Amino acid sequence: MAETDFKALSEGERLLLGAEVRAVLLAHPEIVEKAMNPAPSLYSEAIASDLAMIKAHREQLFGSADLALIVAPDCEGCARAQAELAALAAAFGLTVNTLDMGQVRNLEQAMQIDTLPFYVLPDMMLRGAMPSVVLERYLSELAD
């Protein structure tokens, strides 16, 4: 059995591998379906816990805003996330309450904030910087 260093593939090898992966996924779309739509029961406890945390801290998180973003001055990427979220939210007619982690330390442990930026929507929490396409999807659903 040969070992392959997938980080050192040539351009041709990458193309062949991509074609093989594509063929497998086309032949077995259930692989992608399972990854994109996991069984709710697998995550029901975590979802319920997140929703309870959001509800318990709703006033501090949102105030009168539609969603919250928790950042810190020393967080790499937080300024970019803040600007990007503000622009996307404005495009959907939504408002953002931006909180500095240093001023809301009680939330860090209560909500298990381990990665910044930390996004909080009424029905979910997102840890770490999110691609704008992901944020756009969630904000469009929130705006509806």
Side-chain angles (χ1 to χ4, degrees), residues 87-109:
L88 283 170
F92 287 103
L94 301 170
T95 55
V96 180
N97 186 24
T98 302
L99 303 164
D100 183 313
M101 179 62 97
Q103 297 173 346
V104 291
R105 285 283 178 206
N106 66 310
L107 292 178
E108 182 176 10
Q109 191 170 42

Side-chain angles (χ1 to χ4, degrees), residues 5-72:
D5 181 359
F6 288 101
K7 296 178 186 171
L9 295 177
S10 69
E11 182 67 26
E13 290 170 326
R14 277 196 299 278
L15 290 172
L16 287 173
L17 178 62
E20 288 296 320
V21 169
R22 183 177 189 278
V24 168
L25 293 177
L26 287 172
H28 301 283
E30 68 276 7
I31 295 171
V32 175
E33 179 64 29
K34 193 175 193 180
M36 297 302 289
N37 298 307
S41 62
L42 292 175
Y43 300 104
S44 60
E45 286 182 30
I47 292 168
S49 174
D50 285 356
L51 292 174
M53 284 187 275
I54 292 168
K55 183 178 180 181
H57 301 282
R58 181 174 300 282
E59 185 59 36
Q60 185 178 12
L61 286 166
F62 303 120
S64 61
D66 299 300
L67 58 146
L69 177 67
I70 301 172
V71 297

Side-chain angles (χ1 to χ4, degrees), residues 106-122:
N106 66 310
L107 292 178
E108 182 176 10
Q109 191 170 42
M111 298 188 71
Q112 303 166 6
I113 299 173
D114 56 1
T115 306
L116 294 177
F118 190 86
Y119 307 79
V120 185
L121 285 71

